[in-house]
Structure formats: structure tokens, C-alpha cells
Amino acid sequence: MRFLFLLALIVSGYASSHSLTPTYPSLELSYVPGVYKADLELFNARKDISYYEVGVFDAEWNAITAAITPKKIMKVPHSTSKKITVYIPAASKDRAVYICTKSKTLFTPVTQVTVILSKICSKLK
Amino acid sequence: MKKLILATALLAPFALAEHAEIIGNVESKCSITTDTQGVYGNPLASKLSTLAADGGVLPILRYDIITAGSYKAVIGYPNEFASSPALNDIVTWTGSTIVGEVSDASMSAFETNKVEYNNITEFPLSIAGTAWFNVASEANYGYLTALPAGQYVATVTAECVAI
């Protein structure tokens, strides 16, 4: 029963949401000497959102310079996933704590609404 | 005919496979879903509110938590307009975030253990399952000053931060 519930959760999560995996990515040496990398996957099931921004932060939420592929702000069409690689210089490796994805909103002509900005942060091991 | 028998013999081992495996992984994950996009009601010329009593619609967020204790939800009600006509007076913002529906009764602990500061409410997602959060938002313009006609958009921030 618990398994069924978990399965339902996973399926429902893929129905209309924003998610980022893994929760605890690890930094590994990349093919560039002195640069570490972490691999993540973003899934966009939000119909109202097509763009996401990726950022790296320290424990105090200060931004850390990092190179991101495919791009820092990327298009992720509805119901698709995008593999993200974050490259962090060795000098910043120990400061980096969070890798976050944040939805970007394009305003459409509507009146008196609230829009939801979703942000999910994974924590580096 | 000989060739046909030979081909059948070659393919036979594949046909004898008894079972096929289906492999799936359940991994720690937090998903944020926009369950209901909020709408501001305009009960007074100077006021916008998402409360149903004021003609608004509450924004509702759904969090799916696969692994207990891995994340915290950080939800903020608006404290400025993302888009509005030109405003010459002060806007006073108020709001609140509460736990709505839950898939597990013990998730009432989210409400008990929440931490509030400024326009932010943090909930420790200590129990796996699904929880809905209702966000109320109210904007009052000046001292009963009429809001200019136009489009008003405000942003609710919904974060899921690994801990």
C-alpha cells in the first residue's frame, strides 16, 4: 500500500510540476583540470512555464560563479526534462552548497492575478 | 524449407525467455505543483485580496515529498507587484501561508513547526506524502485611495530547499 502511494506520488509529480533530481548531487572532477562538475536533471510539467534559471549558492545564499550547460537560463518545454551540468572551479568547490533551479515567468496580459515562482534547490554532498 | 527450420532454430532461444524485468527507481525528490493560480478580488477601490470573502481565489501550492526529512518548503506571499499601473502612494502588504489538505494526518506537524519571518513561512517537510499550502495575500493602497485601473500581477514564491 505504501509502495502504491509512493508510486502515485511519483506519477502525480510528473503530471504538472517542477522537480529537480538528485536531492544530494556530488561534485566530481570534470575533463577540465581544476574544475569540478555536478549532473542534475530538471523536469518541467508546468504548462505555464517554459524557462528556468540555474544558480549555485553558498551556505549564506551568496551566488557563486559557475558555468552551466546547456545555459544558465534555458528553455525547458512542458513535459520534458533537461540534463544540466554545473561546472564549479576548484577554488569555489568547498563554498558551494546549493544548486537551484528557478522558474522564469513571462507576463501575459491578465488582470489581478498572482503568479507562482517555483524554486527547487539540491544540496551538494 | 530447410532455411525456414534453421531460422526457427536460431530464433528459438529468444522466444523461450520466461520473464522481462521492469526496473524503476524511487529517488528522493520534491515536486512543486501550481494547484490553483490565485486571483485578486477587488472588494474596495483601495484593496486587492485573494480571500474568497473578498471575491478572490487563494493560490494553492502542492508539494510532493518522496523522502521525509530531506527538504523544507519556503513559501512567500507577495510584498510587491511584479506588474502594475504607475502607483503614487504606498501599498501595504499582508498575507499568510497555511497548510491546507494533507495526505497524512500527521502532517499537521508542518503547521505546528512552521517558522515565519517577514513575508516568508518555512515548513519542515518531515513526513513523506503530499501537502497543499494556501497562500493569502492582501494589498491596501494608501489610505483608502482608489487603485488606478489596469493590470496587477504579484508573485508567490514557492521553494523547496534540500536540508
Side-chain angles (χ1 to χ4, degrees):
Chain A
M1 188 64 190
R2 188 171 281 182
F3 175 75
L4 274 177
F5 179 69
L6 274 174
L7 195 64
L9 269 185
I10 295 160
V11 172
S12 62
Y14 273 80
S16 57
S17 61
H18 161 202
S19 61
L20 179 70
T21 52
T23 304
Y24 302 109
S26 51
L27 282 174
E28 303 163 359
L29 266 174
S30 72
Y31 61 91
V32 182
V35 176
Y36 285 78
K37 73 175 181 90
D39 295 312
L40 297 100
E41 188 166 355
L42 165 69
F43 185 80
N44 175 34
R46 288 188 62 178
K47 280 183 184 170
D48 55 334
I49 299 291
S50 297
Y51 288 88
Y52 285 88
E53 181 178 1
V54 182
V56 181
F57 302 90
D58 67 11
E60 302 300 321
W61 294 101
N62 299 306
I64 286 178
T65 306
I68 290 141
T69 58
K71 280 180 176 176
K72 186 176 172 65
I73 296 176
M74 66 189 82
K75 186 169 187 177
V76 187
H78 176 239
S79 285
T80 62
S81 61
K82 187 78 87 179
K83 290 193 184 300
I84 302 165
T85 305
V86 177
Y87 295 92
I88 299 171
S92 306
K93 174 182 166 278
D94 294 330
R95 279 178 52 224
V97 177
Y98 299 106
I99 298 173
C100 301
T101 55
K102 184 169 78 173
S103 65
K104 304 294 281 182
T105 305
L106 297 172
F107 290 112
T108 48
V110 288
T111 55
Q112 292 166 208
V113 298
T114 59
V115 293
I116 313 289
L117 185 154
S118 59
K119 181 177 173 182
I120 300 184
C121 297
S122 292
K123 192 173 186 181
L124 287 163
K125 278 183 186 169
Chain B
M1 188 62 185
K2 252 180 200 173
K3 280 180 182 169
L4 190 66
I5 293 168
L6 192 63
T8 311
L10 285 171
L11 291 172
F14 296 104
L16 287 173
E18 288 175 4
H19 63 274
E21 288 179 335
I22 299 174
I23 300 167
N25 292 313
V26 175
E27 55 183 324
S28 173
K29 187 175 70 175
C30 173
S31 295
I32 302 173
T33 303
T34 306
D35 197 90
T36 307
Q37 190 181 41
V39 177
Y40 282 113
N42 192 197
L44 299 171
S46 61
K47 180 178 171 182
L48 291 172
S49 168
T50 58
L51 292 177
D54 293 331
V57 176
L58 284 179
I60 300 174
L61 305 162
R62 193 184 90 205
Y63 279 65
D64 295 330
I65 309 132
I66 305 297
T67 309
S70 294
Y71 286 96
K72 65 178 175 181
V74 183
I75 301 172
Y77 61 78
N79 58 5
E80 62 180 354
F81 287 117
S83 163
S84 72
L87 300 173
N88 303 317
D89 210 337
I90 294 167
V91 179
T92 307
W93 291 92
T94 52
S96 65
T97 306
I98 59 165
V99 177
E101 300 289 318
V102 287
S103 64
D104 185 328
S106 59
M107 285 176 166
S108 59
F110 292 177
E111 186 67 32
T112 313
N113 298 327
K114 73 180 183 182
V115 177
E116 294 176 278
Y117 53 92
N118 304 326
N119 64 323
I120 304 292
T121 310
E122 290 190 7
F123 298 91
L125 302 177
S126 51
I127 296 157
T130 299
W132 284 260
F133 297 93
N134 303 336
V135 184
S137 169
E138 188 178 310
N140 285 287
Y141 186 50
Y143 181 73
L144 300 176
T145 311
L147 284 156
Q151 170 188 303
Y152 291 83
V153 178
T155 306
V156 172
T157 57
E159 300 181 25
C160 201
V161 181
I163 51 176

